Amino acid sequence: MAKLPDFEGFAIFAKVVELRSFAAAATELALSKATVSKAVTRLEVRLGARLFNRTSRRLALTDAGQKLAERAARLLSDGEAAENEALAQSATPRGLVRLAVPMTFGVRTVAPLLPEFLSLYPEVSIDLHLSDATVDLIGEGFDAGLRIARLPDSSLIARRLCAMPRYTVATPAYLKRWGRPTHPMHLAGHKCFGYAYLSTPGVWHYTNASGEQASVRPAGQLRVNNGEAVMPALLAGLGIADLPDFIVGDAIASGEVEVILQGWKQPEGAVHLVTPPGGPRPARVEVLAEFLAKRLAMGKKR
């Protein structure tokens, strides 16, 4: 297979021609004079022709050097232009961000924030993918995703955006009819709703202030793959649910449901922005991460 052209050699040669000095070219390129000289010599050996006539006082192009100089200058100019364009692209937020977000959190929390973001960054567009399933960011070509959970170890780069507590809840009517559990193990005797995408499917984990831990595998008539789908059956008093604040917070505040198992806490949950590994994030992803971090933190304070 043919070797690639010596692009570095051509670029250094062009800079020497432009400045008419090996020393000046070395200074501008932040290279040693020896490196510049070796690059030109390497190019001469490869091309089989001397490019400069060099004396202690004078540097002049040979006939071969004159014929090559214009093309080398064009290569250098094109390379500098390509690099400047790429740097501008990475520094200026523009382009498409493919963002994967859990369904209800995306509809209720993220989507209402997007009009402001899109107005602030008119050259950025969003492809919002809504699903409670954990998508393969790398395999499916996503730039970023939001995860609401304790994150398992992975190669993804994660940034914590805000806390997201979970609550075990039931309606007053359900508790009046079936009794109020006071220990997680009591849930085994109650009707509970299941959620398909827990980090440990089908198992609810708790810890109390003294450090006691309890894990229970509750059962009931309904299992869903979207947390909001539990709400109608929950509000109808048909069972107990374990839900994040963004789904059940309003119902707790209104008194439609009550938090049970006081003194027991679920593992600390949070909203994380995750991105594929490798290199700095593009500007369009970075500004979206900063925007969501600020807006979600403001939302949790209200």
Side-chain angles (χ1 to χ4, degrees), residues 35-107:
T35 298
V36 171
S37 181
K38 287 178 182 178
V40 173
T41 299
R42 184 177 70 239
L43 192 60
E44 289 176 328
V45 170
R46 179 162 179 161
L47 298 177
R50 180 179 290 276
L51 300 176
F52 292 105
N53 287 318
R54 287 170 264 189
T55 68
S56 59
R57 299 190 177 194
R58 191 165 181 270
L59 182 68
L61 286 167
T62 65
D63 183 57
Q66 288 177 343
K67 292 178 180 178
L68 185 64
E70 184 178 345
R71 287 181 178 272
R74 191 157 55 245
L75 281 173
L76 176 60
S77 176
D78 287 346
E80 290 174 337
E83 185 175 83
N84 290 336
E85 184 177 332
L87 288 171
Q89 175 71 18
S90 65
T92 302
R94 64 165 60 93
L96 177 67
V97 179
R98 298 195 67 228
L99 178 66
V101 181
M103 176 72 73
T104 301
F105 188 73
V107 171

Side-chain angles (χ1 to χ4, degrees), residues 128-205:
L128 184 64
H129 176 88
L130 300 171
S131 173
D132 283 5
T134 300
V135 301
D136 178 358
L137 295 187
I138 299 171
E140 298 183 42
F142 285 97
D143 297 292
L146 295 184
R147 301 273 169 87
I148 305 174
R150 290 179 302 159
L151 294 182
D153 291 336
S154 77
S155 62
L156 299 176
I157 300 170
R159 174 178 177 177
R160 189 180 188 276
L161 301 183
C162 67
M164 184 55 65
R166 299 184 68 86
Y167 302 105
T168 306
V169 297
T171 62
Y174 176 91
L175 296 174
K176 183 178 180 179
R177 181 178 181 184
W178 300 104
R180 180 184 295 270
T182 57
H183 190 283
M185 302 313 294
H186 297 164
L187 294 174
H190 283 265
K191 300 176 181 179
C192 299
F193 303 119
Y195 177 61
Y197 296 125
L198 290 176
S199 56
T200 52
V203 181
W204 298 359
H205 301 280

